[in-house]
């Protein structure tokens, strides 16, 4: 079933211990959409400048991603440049040029409005709320946020996420949002803010899902080489909601069995792990569903007892 | 089946965000033995001074732990004092008085020498090797070490662990020992050093087991409150080898099925998690096998998909 994805489509410059790329396709919506497109049909809402390359349009189209909502305006695409630490658990932002993204005011094409699944990538919380308001009968809404919005746009963020079914953030964001350093207590507080489901990403250490009376945890996939972790969290999001959309699940009581929700977390982990294997979105140029399902089974083998 | 445990029996002073205890029973052998005694009969090899309290002797005896190898000499017990960081992922050592431990030269009582299971807690590698040499037909040997021995006693450590079946260390020790920052590659290098099985502890993030063609990973148990992580890694070791000894498994090909080895890692994780629930060894004063097995089942529920 159709999934609408909102967020940034950008160019990134990335340096990791494995190398450096000065300019490559990036942005949260790009990663979420590429990942989710392995499971379901995806419609992007984003903005790009007139420097957005034909080959990048073609890559997205080749995965069946609907670009009617990709607004093209004069100017340059959002550009981010960063450098990862040696262990790749930290990164330093060296440059952020918002460019056309500064005036992003998401407008949904008519054909998007009845899509049942919506994922709101990390953008200003008011814009996230505005997108949801344009949807007509959305069945499942989830989204991401970041430290900047939690600190400086807290009331607006709380108002926005109150309407979401799930929130998908990392552990430091969960601690910041809840004011609790213990993740179990942090989760309790966040589940009282509106979303009935919380997924906490822990980078190389895996992920957790919290719901009332339900906890699921999975360790991170152990890669031989992490080439570039950029976008891994967004690919997790794409795998998680992509699997739910493929199966037509919602998250209401009775809408999905517990184990299926656990499997959605595994598919998220699988997609995040593939993302790290090459620079930028490169792994998605060749990734097949067969490889995805094989890694899903690998997760089963190394966690079963 | 009988398990011999070698290491320190000590007193600790510990400060965590939850409180402070100036002097309480501690030491690696104490934690390993208390944890393993939930599964199998345990014999301790250690040294204490004449300040070792009767109530502490009684606690160990109450769990059926054989103290024939607990040497009592004039002087004071090993004393360690430390303070944990707010998130309890780091700790600072404030005081280390080796006292009688400085002259520890482990001598095995005759009754210990035919025990089939041996766990060598973190002491000087030459002493670990000497203990194993006194054993007669030991079936399974495992042990721990630490950064100090890896850095300053490397040749002796390598000679010692070459004879072990398994090495059980934490992630930073695995990286230091192997010279590899990637854990998969670190494990490959360590498995080439002798032990055919490697268990890497990751604190709150769980644990992993590596063997040729086998990988198992488990996330850490999510506690509401970590009161005091002192001894958690040693309790993990006690649960892991304790379960293997209870079942009479060895680790040779065909000696244990893969899933049982995974279950041993889960029992290790269970025992490490209980350890953190109270200061020092306090949780082991009341812990029952029923509680242990209930938490084992809880691990199953929150990792199954």
């Amino acid at each position: 079933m159709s999934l609408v994805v909102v967020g940034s489509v950008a160019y990134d410059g990335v340096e990791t211990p494995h190398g450096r790329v000065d300019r490559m396709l990036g942005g949260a919506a790009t990663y979420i959409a590429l990942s989710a497109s392995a499971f379901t049909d995806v419609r992007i809402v984003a903005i790009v400048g007139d420097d957005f390359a034909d080959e990048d349009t073609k890559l997205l189209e080749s995965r069946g991603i609907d670009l009617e909502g990709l607004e093209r305006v004069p100017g340059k695409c959002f550009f981010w440049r960063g450098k990862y630490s040696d262990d790749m658990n930290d990164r330093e932002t060296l440059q952020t040029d918002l460019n056309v993204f500064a005036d992003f005011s998401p407008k949904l094409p008519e054909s998007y409005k009845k899509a049942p699944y919506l994922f709101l990538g990390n953008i200003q919380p008011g814009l996230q709320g505005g997108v949801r308001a344009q949807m007509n009968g959305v069945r499942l809404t989830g989204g991401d946020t970041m430290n900047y919005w939690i600190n400086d746009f807290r009331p607006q963020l709380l108002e926005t996420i109150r309407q979401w079914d799930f929130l998908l953030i990392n552990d430091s964001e969960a601690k910041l949002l809840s004011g609790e350093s213990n993740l179990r207590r942090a989760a309790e507080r966040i589940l009282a803010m509106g979303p009935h489901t919380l997924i906490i990403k822990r980078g190389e250490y895996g992920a957790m899902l919290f719901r009332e009376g339900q906890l699921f945890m999975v360790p991170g996939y152990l890669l031989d080489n992490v080439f570039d972790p950029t976008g891994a969290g967004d690919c997790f999001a794409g795998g998680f909601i992509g699997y739910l959309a493929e199966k037509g699940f919602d998250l209401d009581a009775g809408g999905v069995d517990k184990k299926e929700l656990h499997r959605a977390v595994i598919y998220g982990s699988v997609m995040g792990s593939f993302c790290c294997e090459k620079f930028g979105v490169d792994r998605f140029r060749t990734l097949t569903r067969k490889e995805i399902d094989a890694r899903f089974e690998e997760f089963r083998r190394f966690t079963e007892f």
Side-chain angles (χ1 to χ4, degrees), chain A:
Chain A
M1 296 176 113
S2 278
L3 165 67
V4 170
V5 169
V6 186
S8 56
V9 169
Y11 285 108
D12 291 341
V14 169
E15 191 174 342
T16 82
H18 295 286
R20 175 182 165 153
V21 176
D22 288 331
R23 184 181 171 88
M24 62 186 183
L25 179 61
T30 306
Y31 282 105
I32 300 163
L34 283 171
S35 171
S37 69
F39 301 91
T40 195
D41 67 292
V42 180
R43 293 148 194 246
I44 269 191
V45 181
I47 191 167
V48 291
D50 45 26
D51 60 340
F52 193 66
D54 278 353
E55 58 170 344
D56 294 326
T57 301
K58 280 179 191 145
L59 171 66
L60 298 172
E61 284 175 346
S62 75
R63 308 298 296 222
I65 297 167
D66 186 334
L67 300 182
E68 194 187 340
L70 183 67
E71 194 182 347
R72 292 160 193 267
V73 296
K76 284 186 163 188
C77 288
F78 183 11
F79 181 76
W80 174 84
R81 192 161 67 86
K83 185 180 171 175
Y84 286 85
S85 64
D86 283 348
D87 67 2
M88 278 184 277
N89 284 327
D90 290 303
R91 71 180 189 191
E92 185 189 354
T93 289
L94 300 173
Q95 191 178 340
T96 306
D97 302 332
L98 290 178
N99 298 329
V100 301
F101 194 67
D103 301 313
F104 183 36
S105 171
K107 283 172 287 293
L108 266 64
E110 280 306 317
S111 63
Y112 282 30
K113 292 184 179 173
K114 289 200 168 167
Y117 292 86
L118 173 63
F119 191 85
L120 300 155
N122 166 33
I123 57 173
Q124 203 272 346
L127 296 183
Q128 290 177 319
V131 169
R132 192 175 185 282
Q134 293 174 58
M135 300 285 289
N136 200 338
V138 64
R139 191 166 154 193
L140 182 68
T141 304
D144 190 6
T145 191
M146 70 185 288
N147 292 2
Y148 176 61
W149 312 121
I150 297 171
N151 280 324
D152 293 3
F153 288 73
R154 194 176 180 86
Q156 212 170 354
L157 177 66
L158 291 178
E159 196 190 315
T160 296
I161 67 172
R162 191 168 296 131
Q163 305 196 306
W164 296 4
D165 295 288
F166 73 90
L167 176 66
L168 193 155
I169 52 182
N170 71 32
D171 42 5
S172 71
E173 290 155 357
K175 290 175 184 178
L176 186 65
L177 177 59
S178 64
E180 280 284 354
S181 63
N182 177 286
L183 286 177
R184 199 185 272 271
R185 290 201 305 276
E188 270 171 31
R189 289 212 177 191
I190 292 169
L191 291 178
M193 294 175 184
H196 50 70
T197 303
L198 169 68
I199 301 98
I200 297 180
K201 300 170 286 177
R202 310 170 95 185
E204 66 165 314
Y205 298 114
M208 321 196 256
L209 176 140
F210 295 88
R211 267 153 77 90
E212 199 187 331
Q214 185 178 357
L215 167 66
F216 177 64
M217 297 174 79
V218 62
Y221 186 79
L222 211 57
L223 287 161
D224 273 320
N225 262 311
V226 175
F227 259 84
D228 173 13
T230 310
D234 294 316
C235 291
F236 182 105
F240 177 77
I241 196 165
Y243 179 72
L244 294 175
E246 176 185 41
K247 295 285 181 173
F249 295 133
D250 55 44
L251 294 180
D252 295 333
V256 56
D257 94 19
K258 283 186 177 189
K259 291 274 180 72
E260 287 289 3
L261 205 42
H262 297 181
R263 284 173 208 135
V265 174
I266 300 296
Y267 275 111
S269 306
V270 164
M271 300 310 282
S273 74
F274 278 121
C275 179
C276 298
E277 290 185 349
K278 292 199 172 180
F279 268 97
V281 302
D282 271 3
R283 188 63 181 84
F284 295 95
R285 296 182 198 280
T286 59
L287 186 64
T288 64
R289 182 62 188 257
K290 199 175 159 190
E291 288 175 305
I292 293 166
D293 289 336
R295 185 159 293 179
F296 179 93
E297 288 306 320
E298 210 184 326
F299 265 87
R300 199 181 285 291
R301 281 199 300 283
F302 73 66
T303 61
E304 233 173 14
F305 63 88

